[in-house]
Amino acid sequence: MTADGVASSAAPRFARVVVDVAPAHLDRPFDYRIPDGASVSTGQRVRVVFSGRRRVGWVVATADGSATDTSRIRDLAGVDGDTVWFDGDDLRVYRWVADRYAGTLAGVLRHALPPRVAAVEREGRGATPPWSGPDETAHDWEGYDSGTLLAAVDANSSGAFWMRPLPGDDSGDLVADLVARCLKAGRSVLVLGPDPGSPAAGRALGVAGRHGADFRVTAQRARYRSFLRCRTGDARVAAGERSAAFAPLRDLGLVIVDDEANPAFKERRSPRHHAREVALARARMAGAVCVLLGDLPSANLAGLLRDGHVTPVDVVRPLERDRAPRVEAVDLSDPRPGTRRTRFSDPAARSLRDAASAGGAAVVLASRGGQGSALVCRGCGNRLSCPVCSGSLAVDRSDESWRCPACAWRGGQFACPHCGDDRHAPLAAGAGRLAAELRRTHPAADVVRMEGFDAPGPQRRPAIGVMTRGSVVARPGWLRGAAASVVVVPDADAMLNRPAFDAAEDVLRLWFAVARWTGHVVIQTLEPAHHAVQALVRWDAAGFWDREVERRAELRLPPSATLIQLTCGGGSAGGDVHDTLTAVLPADDEVLGPDMTGRVLVKSADRRGTLAALKPLLADWAKQDRKVRVDVDPLL
């Protein structure tokens, strides 16, 4: 086939190669001559000489001719085996990701393709028997308005759906049923979970049996083996974390993303894509069904639901309310006795005492690790801030003076500028302080401070796990499959008042997650009418976004606008970047910054227009060796 699509009987003479180099101005294919007798096709990995060095490259097209002077074209230095790493459909996805996240195609290929292990390519592969699953589905979907979703999966149709499992339902059961339906219909399935312990990924692989490819493995051989099994069609179900979003499945019919708003789905390297967006794009391009699961939609998903691009799978509301845990919101501003009791109000202390007396397990969700340091006024509750940078203040225990961890200001204690009260207290006790106090008040309980992913919990009963957000997982092993007697949130306000525009969204999602572990939640707050607190009390995710979208629209924040963050380093001046963006980007864009770290933030109402204007700038900066890193949707 020639470059213009005309059939040719002669073998193509030239390969168009994307070379594995980082600069944006080199983000284009380069022509190389195919040596006589060699056979090269789109998707193969090759070796080339580029700028005097041997590098890896990827063939994205072959052609009979070249627009480049043939005397300047080098031969390919080598072909790395016969493996075809991607096809035209995969390449379409890769290019979409590069455009959507202001990256390069070479950068996307580094994310999408695993390291090569030649020994795995030489392994023999026996024939995989046809998949045979249960004749009947395993879940009756009682309580869900799931007719449209199930019909789309059964009929090999397409569409995007949002589903919030009912309290008490195992999301793994729902996933297993959807996977079995899609396999029965003859198509492949991709399942993404935020961490290796995701129940959705495990259940999907259990249904697939020998037809499953596990991308949660860390060994290079195993990952490459899973990749090749998908590439050759031996595997029909791929499951894993965010890197599995690019698994090269044939005839994709269903994509499932469990806990779609989890920050683990955001890529850490450039281009910083989000696995949820890749999943939606793959499903759309393949004519497949995409199902997004979670407790609270992300801001991007909330926008898609609002605009009708994603269909919610509604539940029977009375059944949902009946199954939801009882949430007791304690108003700490109530002057009546009993609302305050050191760190724990009377309802919280009583619930913890009852749990310990009954030999049960309780969860205390701390707002932060350690001991806690930020200060607030005891009189009005306002945060005491640094007079120089407005950062949070901490007490220097050596001389009781105040210091600012952000700018290193140090000085004597002063009265609250809002109410004049000179009394102060820590904004929130950390997990260490809370655990120490609970050990004193509940000496018979196994009180364990849990910080970090997969932290070990209490080993005996009664038990109190003092957890931070980093230790929250879908199924805490220390609860032994049983419900917690109570979940206590002693410092809701510290979580809600974090200096981040998405603090309420983020913390409500955390509260929903831990509330699924119990039938009783006690949450202490000075703002019981806050829409995040009320959404938890009413178990109402949609109600939260009804209020939150209005607030964000006024500030031009997601989902009403797209945020694009540019981080300047390596000699790039943030002020120059700001001025250039202001002059070049669409007039409706708002350019903020730079901050102290050289970051510039763009608020865009037209993401495509902004990225189109940004692309030539990135190429020019790369030519000048100016280090400017782009992050589209930096907080999602």
Side-chain angles (χ1 to χ4, degrees):
M1 183 70 70
T2 63
D4 58 4
V6 178
S8 172
S9 58
R13 298 175 54 221
F14 299 96
R16 291 182 175 154
V17 178
V18 171
V19 184
D20 188 9
V21 291
H25 67 289
L26 301 177
D27 183 30
R28 61 183 177 86
F30 293 86
D31 286 356
Y32 285 84
R33 185 180 292 104
I34 299 173
D36 292 341
S39 177
V40 176
S41 61
T42 298
Q44 283 192 275
R45 185 172 121 156
V46 295
R47 299 283 175 172
V48 299
V49 176
F50 186 87
S51 190
R53 296 179 58 187
R54 288 175 66 93
R55 297 181 183 273
V56 171
W58 305 95
V59 179
V60 296
T62 57
D64 295 334
S66 173
T68 304
D69 181 357
T70 56
S71 65
R72 300 175 55 193
I73 297 179
R74 294 175 177 267
D75 285 357
L76 293 173
V79 180
D80 286 345
D82 298 328
T83 300
V84 176
W85 292 65
F86 54 82
D87 58 22
D89 291 337
D90 297 323
L91 189 56
R92 183 183 174 200
V93 174
Y94 302 157
R95 284 177 166 145
W96 180 89
V97 174
D99 290 341
R100 169 68 171 80
Y101 289 95
T104 64
L105 181 55
V108 178
L109 289 169
R110 282 193 293 272
H111 297 337
L113 305 178
R116 182 187 181 221
V117 183
V120 175
E121 296 176 1
R122 296 190 292 268
E123 293 177 355
R125 296 185 183 89
T128 303
W131 181 82
S132 59
D135 293 332
E136 302 296 330
T137 56
H139 198 280
D140 60 12
W141 295 88
E142 179 184 1
Y144 298 88
D145 184 12
S146 57
T148 304
L149 166 62
L150 299 182
V153 175
D154 292 340
N156 286 333
S157 185
S158 61
F161 299 87
W162 151 254
M163 186 166 64
R164 186 186 193 208
L166 284 165
D169 272 6
D170 186 340
S171 62
D173 289 342
L174 304 176
V175 168
D177 184 64
L178 291 172
V179 171
R181 287 173 179 271
C182 186
L183 290 175
K184 188 176 180 180
R187 300 185 75 182
S188 298
V189 184
L190 172 63
V191 178
L192 303 178
D195 56 67
S198 167
R203 291 298 300 278
L205 291 171
V207 172
R210 295 173 61 183
H211 291 264
D214 191 350
F215 282 80
R216 299 173 299 175
V217 293
T218 56
Q220 285 192 5
R221 279 176 174 264
R223 287 189 67 84
Y224 190 47
R225 189 176 294 113
S226 292
F227 175 85
L228 290 182
R229 292 188 63 235
C230 292
R231 178 77 266 163
T232 59
D234 288 344
R236 295 179 57 196
V237 175
E241 299 164 76
R242 65 172 179 266
S243 63
F246 298 103
L249 288 163
R250 294 183 178 180
D251 195 17
L252 187 63
L254 174 65
V255 183
I256 299 174
V257 184
D258 186 26
D259 193 11
E260 57 83 25
N262 195 299
F265 283 127
K266 178 74 169 177
E267 178 58 53
R268 305 297 189 260
R269 304 164 295 166
S270 294
R272 297 198 63 198
H273 67 268
H274 196 290
R276 173 194 60 241
E277 303 301 316
V278 178
L280 285 166
R282 285 198 67 179
R284 183 175 63 252
M285 294 178 191
V289 173
C290 185
V291 179
L292 306 174
L293 296 163
D295 280 315
L296 180 70
S298 59
N300 275 15
L301 178 54
L304 294 173
L305 287 165
R306 176 195 60 193
D307 297 337
H309 299 305
V310 175
T311 302
V313 177
D314 295 324
V315 299
V316 177
R317 182 60 177 163
L319 178 61
E320 183 180 43
R321 289 293 299 125
D322 183 61
R323 290 194 187 180
R326 176 172 64 92
V327 180
E328 190 174 355
V330 179
D331 184 359
L332 295 180
S333 66
D334 189 339
R336 291 175 296 178
T339 56
R340 286 184 178 273
R341 182 186 181 276
T342 60
R343 301 288 176 195
F344 298 97
S345 62
D346 279 357
R350 183 170 55 252
S351 297
L352 290 171
R353 185 172 59 249
D354 291 346
S357 300
V363 175
V364 174
L365 185 62
S367 61
R368 53 160 293 155
Q371 298 297 313
S373 59
L375 302 176
V376 294
C377 170
R378 281 187 179 272
C380 65
N382 278 304
R383 180 176 64 91
L384 297 171
S385 59
C386 170
V388 175
C389 72
S390 296
S392 296
L393 294 172
V395 176
D396 189 325
R397 299 303 178 189
S398 63
D399 59 5
E400 296 301 314
S401 65
W402 287 355
R403 60 181 178 84
C404 175
C407 72
W409 174 87
R410 185 181 295 271
Q413 300 183 11
F414 53 81
C416 174
H418 296 279
C419 70
D421 198 315
D422 60 2
R423 298 172 301 158
H424 64 274
L427 171 63
R433 183 175 299 178
L434 289 172
E437 293 184 7
L438 288 167
R439 289 189 189 101
R440 289 195 297 270
T441 54
H442 301 281
D446 185 11
V447 180
V448 176
R449 165 185 173 182
M450 302 170 63
E451 298 181 27
F453 177 74
D454 207 22
Q459 300 300 309
R460 57 180 175 82
R461 298 293 185 267
I464 301 177
V466 182
M467 307 180 71
T468 57
R469 68 171 307 116
S471 61
V472 173
V473 295
R475 294 175 176 172
W478 68 275
L479 288 177
R480 304 172 186 172
S485 302
V486 66
V487 169
V488 175
V489 183
D491 298 309
D493 301 320
M495 297 178 170
L496 288 170
N497 294 326
R498 285 190 306 109
F501 85 85
D502 61 341
E505 171 198 347
D506 179 65
V507 74
L508 177 57
R509 189 171 293 113
L510 177 66
W511 291 346
F512 275 139
V514 297
R516 286 186 178 272
W517 303 345
T518 185
H520 182 204
V521 178
V522 179
I523 181 169
Q524 301 179 169
T525 175
L526 290 164
E527 300 181 77
H530 192 288
H531 59 289
V533 176
Q534 287 301 306
L536 177 66
V537 171
R538 299 171 183 173
W539 206 256
D540 184 13
F544 168 81
W545 276 115
D546 289 343
R547 294 280 305 277
E548 185 74 2
V549 164
E550 296 177 3
R551 183 183 72 87
R552 294 194 185 186
E554 296 175 358
L555 301 173
R556 297 192 68 187
L557 294 172
S560 300
T562 298
L563 298 184
I564 303 173
Q565 179 178 279
L566 293 91
T567 303
C568 312
S572 295
D576 291 343
V577 170
H578 172 277
D579 295 343
T580 302
L581 292 173
T582 302
V584 172
L585 296 185
D588 289 342
D589 285 0
E590 183 178 358
V591 184
L592 305 175
D595 64 8
M596 295 174 63
T597 62
R599 292 178 299 186
V600 177
L601 188 68
V602 178
K603 296 181 179 180
S604 170
D606 176 15
R607 185 187 69 243
R608 289 188 178 91
T610 301
L611 292 177
L614 187 60
K615 187 172 183 178
L617 283 180
L618 295 175
D620 288 343
W621 287 333
K623 288 180 182 178
Q624 301 167 26
D625 199 26
R626 299 180 65 179
K627 308 298 183 185
V628 180
R629 187 185 186 197
V630 182
D631 186 2
V632 182
D633 299 333
L635 301 176
L636 304 177

